Amino acid sequence: MRPARARIDLDALRHNYALTRQRHGSRTLAVIKANAYGHGAIECARALEEIAEGFAVAIVEEAVQLRESGIRAPILVLEGVFDAEDLALATRHGLWLVVHQEAQLRMLEEEHHPDGLKLDVWLKLNSGMNRAGFEPSSYRGAWERLRACRGIGEIVLMTHLAQADEPDSAATTRQIALFDTATSGIPGARSIANSAGVLSWTAARRDWGRPGIALYGADPMPDEANALRPVMTLESEIVGVREIAAGAAIGYGARFIAERPTRVGLVAMGYADGYPRSAPDGTPVFVHGVRTRLIGKVSMDMLTVDLTAAPTAGIGSPVELWGTNVSVNEVAQGAGTIAYELLCNVKRVRLVYQ
Ligand SMILES: *Cc1c(COP(=O)(O)O)cnc(C)c1O
């Protein structure tokens, strides 16, 4: 069997949840949207069930899948519903719904026919991200209309931060202040902080935290020492070795040309597995206990590494693409993207839980 796999350390996941929850100091939803950022939503939910106060996903289908796997904890749907069918599913499965725009509010007014079941909703304020959420001027009105709906239970007041991963961003301070002004005097629990908010903005801490990326051990602010543990190790093996002469090229487009005679290792991992094709020559790869580098363009199913620094490496030697020795943040930075995208792009490889 092809040796490519992603090992998922569920203890590290629990450690990271406990750390973010302790940092936030109040109830904390574990964000497991997009298949838990590529880590497997059902397995991650089961691993966190005993300690997490609830979960958050993006869409109703993700929440239903968790319910059908036996997850009974609260599940918040961050994008809310798209139509009456979503709303019926949400009611039937006891989901919590974000309401971020007029059409969703109208759906609740017109289509929500509860039979005794109360639907809890999170009313979202646009505090500056200008993506989703009610404007400050219409927020209280939206809250009053929700309050008047039949079958609505608790209403949590929420917003989302756009720049919390930038230290001392004035924008974050403005967003928090705007949230406090717009929600002033409205009863109900509050929620502002994503991972970056939980980890570095004490001013963003409220009744509910919503960390995602930090749970998977990819620190949104890698320069801070937050003691998060990487959850995913993307790994494979050397499946071929060759020596090339100085001046010889490797792979598509002959991007890499050897400066000197070079031992090249072929690794069973490619962009069809989610390893980024945009990774440049020099991207760190951990091979047989040493950090070496990617050389040559990443192919669909394979990539090539420099074995000069690992003379004892050969066929069958272990390769870590990211994990504890090479952080996913490092690879993302080199590839011009973010850890979020790399993690949730992982596919085709087996997920192995430990
Ligand atoms: C995805 C998401 C989060 C989690 O964000 P991270 O940066 O991964 O911690 C929190 N809140 C909302 C509304 C989201 O969409």
PDB file of all heavy atoms in Angstrom, residues 29 31 33 37 56-58 76 78-79 98 124 131 158-161 191-198 209-216 220 340, ligand 1:
ATOM      1  N   LEU A  29     -16.608  26.612  22.132  1.00  0.00           N
ATOM      2  CA  LEU A  29     -17.013  25.698  21.058  1.00  0.00           C
ATOM      3  C   LEU A  29     -15.778  25.294  20.274  1.00  0.00           C
ATOM      4  O   LEU A  29     -14.971  26.141  19.906  1.00  0.00           O
ATOM      5  CB  LEU A  29     -17.980  26.401  20.084  1.00  0.00           C
ATOM      6  CG  LEU A  29     -19.341  26.841  20.598  1.00  0.00           C
ATOM      7  CD1 LEU A  29     -20.132  27.494  19.452  1.00  0.00           C
ATOM      8  CD2 LEU A  29     -20.117  25.665  21.169  1.00  0.00           C
ATOM      9  N   VAL A  31     -14.310  24.442  16.905  1.00  0.00           N
ATOM     10  CA  VAL A  31     -14.723  24.630  15.511  1.00  0.00           C
ATOM     11  C   VAL A  31     -14.175  23.469  14.682  1.00  0.00           C
ATOM     12  O   VAL A  31     -12.958  23.295  14.559  1.00  0.00           O
ATOM     13  CB  VAL A  31     -14.257  25.992  14.964  1.00  0.00           C
ATOM     14  CG1 VAL A  31     -14.695  26.150  13.508  1.00  0.00           C
ATOM     15  CG2 VAL A  31     -14.827  27.129  15.820  1.00  0.00           C
ATOM     16  N   LYS A  33     -15.482  22.686  11.453  1.00  0.00           N
ATOM     17  CA  LYS A  33     -15.995  22.794  10.083  1.00  0.00           C
ATOM     18  C   LYS A  33     -14.979  22.211   9.096  1.00  0.00           C
ATOM     19  O   LYS A  33     -13.817  21.981   9.463  1.00  0.00           O
ATOM     20  CB  LYS A  33     -16.282  24.262   9.753  1.00  0.00           C
ATOM     21  CG  LYS A  33     -15.065  25.177   9.829  1.00  0.00           C
ATOM     22  CD  LYS A  33     -15.459  26.650   9.718  1.00  0.00           C
ATOM     23  CE  LYS A  33     -14.263  27.561   9.901  1.00  0.00           C
ATOM     24  NZ  LYS A  33     -14.650  28.974  10.012  1.00  0.00           N
ATOM     25  N   TYR A  37     -10.989  20.847   9.674  1.00  0.00           N
ATOM     26  CA  TYR A  37      -9.803  21.379   9.007  1.00  0.00           C
ATOM     27  C   TYR A  37      -8.955  20.229   8.447  1.00  0.00           C
ATOM     28  O   TYR A  37      -7.725  20.215   8.551  1.00  0.00           O
ATOM     29  CB  TYR A  37      -8.965  22.244   9.956  1.00  0.00           C
ATOM     30  CG  TYR A  37      -9.620  23.532  10.456  1.00  0.00           C
ATOM     31  CD1 TYR A  37     -10.937  23.550  10.908  1.00  0.00           C
ATOM     32  CD2 TYR A  37      -8.915  24.729  10.515  1.00  0.00           C
ATOM     33  CE1 TYR A  37     -11.529  24.717  11.387  1.00  0.00           C
ATOM     34  CE2 TYR A  37      -9.490  25.904  10.985  1.00  0.00           C
ATOM     35  CZ  TYR A  37     -10.800  25.887  11.423  1.00  0.00           C
ATOM     36  OH  TYR A  37     -11.387  27.040  11.898  1.00  0.00           O
ATOM     37  N   ALA A  56     -18.725  23.735  16.461  1.00  0.00           N
ATOM     38  CA  ALA A  56     -19.223  24.623  15.412  1.00  0.00           C
ATOM     39  C   ALA A  56     -18.791  24.071  14.064  1.00  0.00           C
ATOM     40  O   ALA A  56     -17.659  23.600  13.915  1.00  0.00           O
ATOM     41  CB  ALA A  56     -18.689  26.046  15.600  1.00  0.00           C
ATOM     42  N   VAL A  57     -19.703  24.116  13.112  1.00  0.00           N
ATOM     43  CA  VAL A  57     -19.430  23.720  11.732  1.00  0.00           C
ATOM     44  C   VAL A  57     -19.922  24.854  10.838  1.00  0.00           C
ATOM     45  O   VAL A  57     -20.529  25.813  11.324  1.00  0.00           O
ATOM     46  CB  VAL A  57     -20.146  22.395  11.368  1.00  0.00           C
ATOM     47  CG1 VAL A  57     -19.585  21.226  12.182  1.00  0.00           C
ATOM     48  CG2 VAL A  57     -21.654  22.507  11.564  1.00  0.00           C
ATOM     49  N   ALA A  58     -19.675  24.752   9.536  1.00  0.00           N
ATOM     50  CA  ALA A  58     -20.092  25.838   8.651  1.00  0.00           C
ATOM     51  C   ALA A  58     -21.535  25.655   8.196  1.00  0.00           C
ATOM     52  O   ALA A  58     -22.304  26.617   8.142  1.00  0.00           O
ATOM     53  CB  ALA A  58     -19.160  25.928   7.444  1.00  0.00           C
ATOM     54  N   LEU A  76     -23.203  24.494  16.611  1.00  0.00           N
ATOM     55  CA  LEU A  76     -23.538  25.779  16.005  1.00  0.00           C
ATOM     56  C   LEU A  76     -23.208  25.731  14.517  1.00  0.00           C
ATOM     57  O   LEU A  76     -22.136  25.258  14.130  1.00  0.00           O
ATOM     58  CB  LEU A  76     -22.722  26.895  16.684  1.00  0.00           C
ATOM     59  CG  LEU A  76     -22.852  28.299  16.098  1.00  0.00           C
ATOM     60  CD1 LEU A  76     -24.274  28.841  16.260  1.00  0.00           C
ATOM     61  CD2 LEU A  76     -21.849  29.252  16.751  1.00  0.00           C
ATOM     62  N   LEU A  78     -22.240  27.908  11.544  1.00  0.00           N
ATOM     63  CA  LEU A  78     -21.687  29.262  11.438  1.00  0.00           C
ATOM     64  C   LEU A  78     -22.196  30.052  10.238  1.00  0.00           C
ATOM     65  O   LEU A  78     -22.207  31.275  10.255  1.00  0.00           O
ATOM     66  CB  LEU A  78     -20.155  29.191  11.390  1.00  0.00           C
ATOM     67  CG  LEU A  78     -19.482  28.706  12.681  1.00  0.00           C
ATOM     68  CD1 LEU A  78     -18.023  28.340  12.426  1.00  0.00           C
ATOM     69  CD2 LEU A  78     -19.591  29.753  13.779  1.00  0.00           C
ATOM     70  N   GLU A  79     -22.578  29.363   9.163  1.00  0.00           N
ATOM     71  CA  GLU A  79     -23.090  30.088   7.999  1.00  0.00           C
ATOM     72  C   GLU A  79     -24.616  30.193   8.030  1.00  0.00           C
ATOM     73  O   GLU A  79     -25.208  30.818   7.158  1.00  0.00           O
ATOM     74  CB  GLU A  79     -22.648  29.380   6.704  1.00  0.00           C
ATOM     75  CG  GLU A  79     -21.821  30.266   5.805  1.00  0.00           C
ATOM     76  CD  GLU A  79     -21.392  29.553   4.514  1.00  0.00           C
ATOM     77  OE1 GLU A  79     -21.373  28.313   4.453  1.00  0.00           O
ATOM     78  OE2 GLU A  79     -21.081  30.261   3.559  1.00  0.00           O
ATOM     79  N   VAL A  98     -26.440  30.385  13.329  1.00  0.00           N
ATOM     80  CA  VAL A  98     -26.066  31.786  13.180  1.00  0.00           C
ATOM     81  C   VAL A  98     -27.080  32.428  12.236  1.00  0.00           C
ATOM     82  O   VAL A  98     -27.481  31.841  11.225  1.00  0.00           O
ATOM     83  CB  VAL A  98     -24.633  31.927  12.616  1.00  0.00           C
ATOM     84  CG1 VAL A  98     -24.356  33.357  12.165  1.00  0.00           C
ATOM     85  CG2 VAL A  98     -23.605  31.502  13.667  1.00  0.00           C
ATOM     86  N   LYS A 124     -25.487  37.616  14.430  1.00  0.00           N
ATOM     87  CA  LYS A 124     -24.150  38.122  14.093  1.00  0.00           C
ATOM     88  C   LYS A 124     -24.165  39.598  13.717  1.00  0.00           C
ATOM     89  O   LYS A 124     -24.990  40.041  12.911  1.00  0.00           O
ATOM     90  CB  LYS A 124     -23.581  37.304  12.937  1.00  0.00           C
ATOM     91  CG  LYS A 124     -22.129  37.587  12.630  1.00  0.00           C
ATOM     92  CD  LYS A 124     -21.599  36.516  11.693  1.00  0.00           C
ATOM     93  CE  LYS A 124     -20.110  36.614  11.488  1.00  0.00           C
ATOM     94  NZ  LYS A 124     -19.621  35.453  10.732  1.00  0.00           N
ATOM     95  N   ARG A 131     -18.346  41.166   5.756  1.00  0.00           N
ATOM     96  CA  ARG A 131     -18.556  39.917   5.034  1.00  0.00           C
ATOM     97  C   ARG A 131     -19.953  39.418   5.373  1.00  0.00           C
ATOM     98  O   ARG A 131     -20.810  39.326   4.520  1.00  0.00           O
ATOM     99  CB  ARG A 131     -17.466  38.925   5.473  1.00  0.00           C
ATOM    100  CG  ARG A 131     -17.454  37.626   4.735  1.00  0.00           C
ATOM    101  CD  ARG A 131     -16.399  36.681   5.287  1.00  0.00           C
ATOM    102  NE  ARG A 131     -16.682  36.256   6.650  1.00  0.00           N
ATOM    103  CZ  ARG A 131     -16.056  35.266   7.267  1.00  0.00           C
ATOM    104  NH1 ARG A 131     -15.090  34.604   6.663  1.00  0.00           N
ATOM    105  NH2 ARG A 131     -16.368  34.929   8.502  1.00  0.00           N
ATOM    106  N   MET A 158     -23.085  37.798  18.680  1.00  0.00           N
ATOM    107  CA  MET A 158     -21.732  37.450  18.224  1.00  0.00           C
ATOM    108  C   MET A 158     -21.214  38.387  17.138  1.00  0.00           C
ATOM    109  O   MET A 158     -21.973  39.079  16.461  1.00  0.00           O
ATOM    110  CB  MET A 158     -21.697  36.015  17.676  1.00  0.00           C
ATOM    111  CG  MET A 158     -22.298  35.887  16.296  1.00  0.00           C
ATOM    112  SD  MET A 158     -22.132  34.229  15.553  1.00  0.00           S
ATOM    113  CE  MET A 158     -20.402  34.137  15.210  1.00  0.00           C
ATOM    114  N   THR A 159     -19.890  38.382  17.010  1.00  0.00           N
ATOM    115  CA  THR A 159     -19.256  39.011  15.854  1.00  0.00           C
ATOM    116  C   THR A 159     -17.984  38.226  15.536  1.00  0.00           C
ATOM    117  O   THR A 159     -17.659  37.266  16.245  1.00  0.00           O
ATOM    118  CB  THR A 159     -18.973  40.508  16.100  1.00  0.00           C
ATOM    119  OG1 THR A 159     -18.667  41.129  14.844  1.00  0.00           O
ATOM    120  CG2 THR A 159     -17.795  40.728  17.063  1.00  0.00           C
ATOM    121  N   HIS A 160     -17.302  38.594  14.469  1.00  0.00           N
ATOM    122  CA  HIS A 160     -16.105  37.853  14.053  1.00  0.00           C
ATOM    123  C   HIS A 160     -15.005  38.849  13.733  1.00  0.00           C
ATOM    124  O   HIS A 160     -15.250  39.895  13.133  1.00  0.00           O
ATOM    125  CB  HIS A 160     -16.450  37.010  12.813  1.00  0.00           C
ATOM    126  CG  HIS A 160     -15.411  35.983  12.458  1.00  0.00           C
ATOM    127  ND1 HIS A 160     -14.870  35.111  13.368  1.00  0.00           N
ATOM    128  CD2 HIS A 160     -14.821  35.694  11.270  1.00  0.00           C
ATOM    129  CE1 HIS A 160     -13.986  34.318  12.756  1.00  0.00           C
ATOM    130  NE2 HIS A 160     -13.937  34.652  11.481  1.00  0.00           N
ATOM    131  N   LEU A 161     -13.775  38.516  14.161  1.00  0.00           N
ATOM    132  CA  LEU A 161     -12.648  39.434  14.012  1.00  0.00           C
ATOM    133  C   LEU A 161     -11.891  39.173  12.707  1.00  0.00           C
ATOM    134  O   LEU A 161     -11.632  38.023  12.356  1.00  0.00           O
ATOM    135  CB  LEU A 161     -11.688  39.276  15.199  1.00  0.00           C
ATOM    136  CG  LEU A 161     -12.301  39.576  16.579  1.00  0.00           C
ATOM    137  CD1 LEU A 161     -11.300  39.232  17.677  1.00  0.00           C
ATOM    138  CD2 LEU A 161     -12.737  41.034  16.681  1.00  0.00           C
ATOM    139  N   SER A 191     -20.162  36.396  22.162  1.00  0.00           N
ATOM    140  CA  SER A 191     -19.052  35.614  21.608  1.00  0.00           C
ATOM    141  C   SER A 191     -18.326  36.423  20.540  1.00  0.00           C
ATOM    142  O   SER A 191     -18.954  36.938  19.608  1.00  0.00           O
ATOM    143  CB  SER A 191     -19.596  34.318  20.983  1.00  0.00           C
ATOM    144  OG  SER A 191     -18.542  33.592  20.376  1.00  0.00           O
ATOM    145  N   ILE A 192     -17.019  36.560  20.704  1.00  0.00           N
ATOM    146  CA  ILE A 192     -16.211  37.320  19.732  1.00  0.00           C
ATOM    147  C   ILE A 192     -15.045  36.501  19.182  1.00  0.00           C
ATOM    148  O   ILE A 192     -14.771  36.524  17.985  1.00  0.00           O
ATOM    149  CB  ILE A 192     -15.624  38.613  20.387  1.00  0.00           C
ATOM    150  CG1 ILE A 192     -16.739  39.511  20.927  1.00  0.00           C
ATOM    151  CG2 ILE A 192     -14.754  39.354  19.382  1.00  0.00           C
ATOM    152  CD1 ILE A 192     -16.231  40.785  21.606  1.00  0.00           C
ATOM    153  N   ALA A 193     -14.349  35.771  20.060  1.00  0.00           N
ATOM    154  CA  ALA A 193     -12.990  35.332  19.744  1.00  0.00           C
ATOM    155  C   ALA A 193     -12.889  34.039  18.947  1.00  0.00           C
ATOM    156  O   ALA A 193     -13.424  33.004  19.342  1.00  0.00           O
ATOM    157  CB  ALA A 193     -12.195  35.185  21.033  1.00  0.00           C
ATOM    158  N   ASN A 194     -12.165  34.097  17.837  1.00  0.00           N
ATOM    159  CA  ASN A 194     -11.643  32.922  17.134  1.00  0.00           C
ATOM    160  C   ASN A 194     -10.329  32.529  17.822  1.00  0.00           C
ATOM    161  O   ASN A 194     -10.025  33.036  18.904  1.00  0.00           O
ATOM    162  CB  ASN A 194     -11.445  33.245  15.652  1.00  0.00           C
ATOM    163  CG  ASN A 194     -10.532  34.455  15.441  1.00  0.00           C
ATOM    164  OD1 ASN A 194     -10.056  35.069  16.393  1.00  0.00           O
ATOM    165  ND2 ASN A 194     -10.300  34.808  14.197  1.00  0.00           N
ATOM    166  N   SER A 195      -9.517  31.685  17.194  1.00  0.00           N
ATOM    167  CA  SER A 195      -8.269  31.249  17.841  1.00  0.00           C
ATOM    168  C   SER A 195      -7.378  32.426  18.223  1.00  0.00           C
ATOM    169  O   SER A 195      -6.901  32.514  19.353  1.00  0.00           O
ATOM    170  CB  SER A 195      -7.460  30.344  16.905  1.00  0.00           C
ATOM    171  OG  SER A 195      -8.149  29.162  16.652  1.00  0.00           O
ATOM    172  N   ALA A 196      -7.128  33.298  17.252  1.00  0.00           N
ATOM    173  CA  ALA A 196      -6.222  34.416  17.516  1.00  0.00           C
ATOM    174  C   ALA A 196      -6.790  35.297  18.625  1.00  0.00           C
ATOM    175  O   ALA A 196      -6.053  35.793  19.481  1.00  0.00           O
ATOM    176  CB  ALA A 196      -5.993  35.215  16.241  1.00  0.00           C
ATOM    177  N   GLY A 197      -8.100  35.464  18.620  1.00  0.00           N
ATOM    178  CA  GLY A 197      -8.747  36.253  19.669  1.00  0.00           C
ATOM    179  C   GLY A 197      -8.582  35.595  21.029  1.00  0.00           C
ATOM    180  O   GLY A 197      -8.240  36.246  22.027  1.00  0.00           O
ATOM    181  N   VAL A 198      -8.807  34.286  21.077  1.00  0.00           N
ATOM    182  CA  VAL A 198      -8.686  33.546  22.337  1.00  0.00           C
ATOM    183  C   VAL A 198      -7.258  33.624  22.870  1.00  0.00           C
ATOM    184  O   VAL A 198      -7.024  33.834  24.054  1.00  0.00           O
ATOM    185  CB  VAL A 198      -9.083  32.061  22.131  1.00  0.00           C
ATOM    186  CG1 VAL A 198      -8.608  31.200  23.285  1.00  0.00           C
ATOM    187  CG2 VAL A 198     -10.586  31.929  21.935  1.00  0.00           C
ATOM    188  N   GLY A 209     -16.017  31.148  23.504  1.00  0.00           N
ATOM    189  CA  GLY A 209     -14.912  31.225  22.549  1.00  0.00           C
ATOM    190  C   GLY A 209     -15.201  30.306  21.371  1.00  0.00           C
ATOM    191  O   GLY A 209     -15.969  29.355  21.497  1.00  0.00           O
ATOM    192  N   ARG A 210     -14.580  30.599  20.227  1.00  0.00           N
ATOM    193  CA  ARG A 210     -14.798  29.777  19.023  1.00  0.00           C
ATOM    194  C   ARG A 210     -13.470  29.469  18.324  1.00  0.00           C
ATOM    195  O   ARG A 210     -13.272  29.808  17.159  1.00  0.00           O
ATOM    196  CB  ARG A 210     -15.721  30.497  18.018  1.00  0.00           C
ATOM    197  CG  ARG A 210     -17.007  31.060  18.588  1.00  0.00           C
ATOM    198  CD  ARG A 210     -17.903  31.624  17.475  1.00  0.00           C
ATOM    199  NE  ARG A 210     -17.239  32.552  16.600  1.00  0.00           N
ATOM    200  CZ  ARG A 210     -17.185  33.876  16.761  1.00  0.00           C
ATOM    201  NH1 ARG A 210     -17.775  34.453  17.793  1.00  0.00           N
ATOM    202  NH2 ARG A 210     -16.552  34.637  15.881  1.00  0.00           N
ATOM    203  N   PRO A 211     -12.529  28.813  19.001  1.00  0.00           N
ATOM    204  CA  PRO A 211     -11.261  28.506  18.345  1.00  0.00           C
ATOM    205  C   PRO A 211     -11.383  27.383  17.326  1.00  0.00           C
ATOM    206  O   PRO A 211     -12.101  26.413  17.546  1.00  0.00           O
ATOM    207  CB  PRO A 211     -10.352  28.070  19.504  1.00  0.00           C
ATOM    208  CG  PRO A 211     -11.299  27.484  20.498  1.00  0.00           C
ATOM    209  CD  PRO A 211     -12.573  28.288  20.374  1.00  0.00           C
ATOM    210  N   GLY A 212     -10.676  27.532  16.208  1.00  0.00           N
ATOM    211  CA  GLY A 212     -10.606  26.484  15.197  1.00  0.00           C
ATOM    212  C   GLY A 212      -9.154  26.061  15.017  1.00  0.00           C
ATOM    213  O   GLY A 212      -8.688  25.082  15.603  1.00  0.00           O
ATOM    214  N   ILE A 213      -8.406  26.845  14.257  1.00  0.00           N
ATOM    215  CA  ILE A 213      -7.048  26.461  13.853  1.00  0.00           C
ATOM    216  C   ILE A 213      -6.147  26.099  15.045  1.00  0.00           C
ATOM    217  O   ILE A 213      -5.325  25.182  14.946  1.00  0.00           O
ATOM    218  CB  ILE A 213      -6.402  27.591  12.989  1.00  0.00           C
ATOM    219  CG1 ILE A 213      -5.158  27.091  12.263  1.00  0.00           C
ATOM    220  CG2 ILE A 213      -6.080  28.825  13.805  1.00  0.00           C
ATOM    221  CD1 ILE A 213      -5.428  26.193  11.107  1.00  0.00           C
ATOM    222  N   ALA A 214      -6.322  26.771  16.167  1.00  0.00           N
ATOM    223  CA  ALA A 214      -5.459  26.487  17.325  1.00  0.00           C
ATOM    224  C   ALA A 214      -5.666  25.065  17.841  1.00  0.00           C
ATOM    225  O   ALA A 214      -4.738  24.444  18.364  1.00  0.00           O
ATOM    226  CB  ALA A 214      -5.724  27.498  18.447  1.00  0.00           C
ATOM    227  N   LEU A 215      -6.879  24.540  17.685  1.00  0.00           N
ATOM    228  CA  LEU A 215      -7.149  23.170  18.149  1.00  0.00           C
ATOM    229  C   LEU A 215      -6.266  22.170  17.418  1.00  0.00           C
ATOM    230  O   LEU A 215      -5.940  21.115  17.954  1.00  0.00           O
ATOM    231  CB  LEU A 215      -8.610  22.787  17.898  1.00  0.00           C
ATOM    232  CG  LEU A 215      -9.674  23.682  18.519  1.00  0.00           C
ATOM    233  CD1 LEU A 215     -11.051  23.156  18.140  1.00  0.00           C
ATOM    234  CD2 LEU A 215      -9.510  23.732  20.033  1.00  0.00           C
ATOM    235  N   TYR A 216      -5.905  22.517  16.178  1.00  0.00           N
ATOM    236  CA  TYR A 216      -5.119  21.597  15.366  1.00  0.00           C
ATOM    237  C   TYR A 216      -3.627  21.868  15.513  1.00  0.00           C
ATOM    238  O   TYR A 216      -2.804  21.260  14.840  1.00  0.00           O
ATOM    239  CB  TYR A 216      -5.598  21.682  13.907  1.00  0.00           C
ATOM    240  CG  TYR A 216      -7.116  21.536  13.873  1.00  0.00           C
ATOM    241  CD1 TYR A 216      -7.952  22.641  13.709  1.00  0.00           C
ATOM    242  CD2 TYR A 216      -7.691  20.298  14.138  1.00  0.00           C
ATOM    243  CE1 TYR A 216      -9.336  22.511  13.772  1.00  0.00           C
ATOM    244  CE2 TYR A 216      -9.072  20.161  14.210  1.00  0.00           C
ATOM    245  CZ  TYR A 216      -9.882  21.274  14.026  1.00  0.00           C
ATOM    246  OH  TYR A 216     -11.247  21.133  14.112  1.00  0.00           O
ATOM    247  N   PRO A 220      -1.971  30.620  14.996  1.00  0.00           N
ATOM    248  CA  PRO A 220      -2.177  31.723  14.041  1.00  0.00           C
ATOM    249  C   PRO A 220      -1.135  32.831  14.203  1.00  0.00           C
ATOM    250  O   PRO A 220      -0.990  33.657  13.308  1.00  0.00           O
ATOM    251  CB  PRO A 220      -3.587  32.237  14.363  1.00  0.00           C
ATOM    252  CG  PRO A 220      -3.897  31.738  15.728  1.00  0.00           C
ATOM    253  CD  PRO A 220      -3.073  30.496  15.951  1.00  0.00           C
ATOM    254  N   TYR A 340      -4.361  26.928   7.399  1.00  0.00           N
ATOM    255  CA  TYR A 340      -5.775  26.541   7.241  1.00  0.00           C
ATOM    256  C   TYR A 340      -5.986  25.839   5.892  1.00  0.00           C
ATOM    257  O   TYR A 340      -6.639  24.807   5.796  1.00  0.00           O
ATOM    258  CB  TYR A 340      -6.682  27.774   7.217  1.00  0.00           C
ATOM    259  CG  TYR A 340      -6.749  28.641   8.435  1.00  0.00           C
ATOM    260  CD1 TYR A 340      -5.704  29.486   8.791  1.00  0.00           C
ATOM    261  CD2 TYR A 340      -7.903  28.668   9.214  1.00  0.00           C
ATOM    262  CE1 TYR A 340      -5.804  30.330   9.886  1.00  0.00           C
ATOM    263  CE2 TYR A 340      -8.009  29.511  10.323  1.00  0.00           C
ATOM    264  CZ  TYR A 340      -6.951  30.339  10.645  1.00  0.00           C
ATOM    265  OH  TYR A 340      -7.052  31.161  11.722  1.00  0.00           O
TER     266      TYR A 340
HETATM  267  C1  LIG B   1     -13.940  29.481  11.170  1.00  0.00           C
HETATM  268  C2  LIG B   1     -14.512  30.368  12.196  1.00  0.00           C
HETATM  269  C3  LIG B   1     -13.953  30.410  13.489  1.00  0.00           C
HETATM  270  C4  LIG B   1     -12.653  29.718  13.844  1.00  0.00           C
HETATM  271  O1  LIG B   1     -11.598  30.499  13.329  1.00  0.00           O
HETATM  272  P1  LIG B   1     -10.069  30.122  13.597  1.00  0.00           P
HETATM  273  O2  LIG B   1      -9.315  31.274  13.027  1.00  0.00           O
HETATM  274  O3  LIG B   1      -9.809  28.860  12.878  1.00  0.00           O
HETATM  275  O4  LIG B   1      -9.916  29.979  15.055  1.00  0.00           O
HETATM  276  C5  LIG B   1     -14.606  31.161  14.445  1.00  0.00           C
HETATM  277  N1  LIG B   1     -15.734  31.859  14.153  1.00  0.00           N
HETATM  278  C6  LIG B   1     -16.276  31.863  12.918  1.00  0.00           C
HETATM  279  C7  LIG B   1     -17.494  32.666  12.659  1.00  0.00           C
HETATM  280  C8  LIG B   1     -15.679  31.137  11.893  1.00  0.00           C
HETATM  281  O5  LIG B   1     -16.207  31.165  10.670  1.00  0.00           O
END
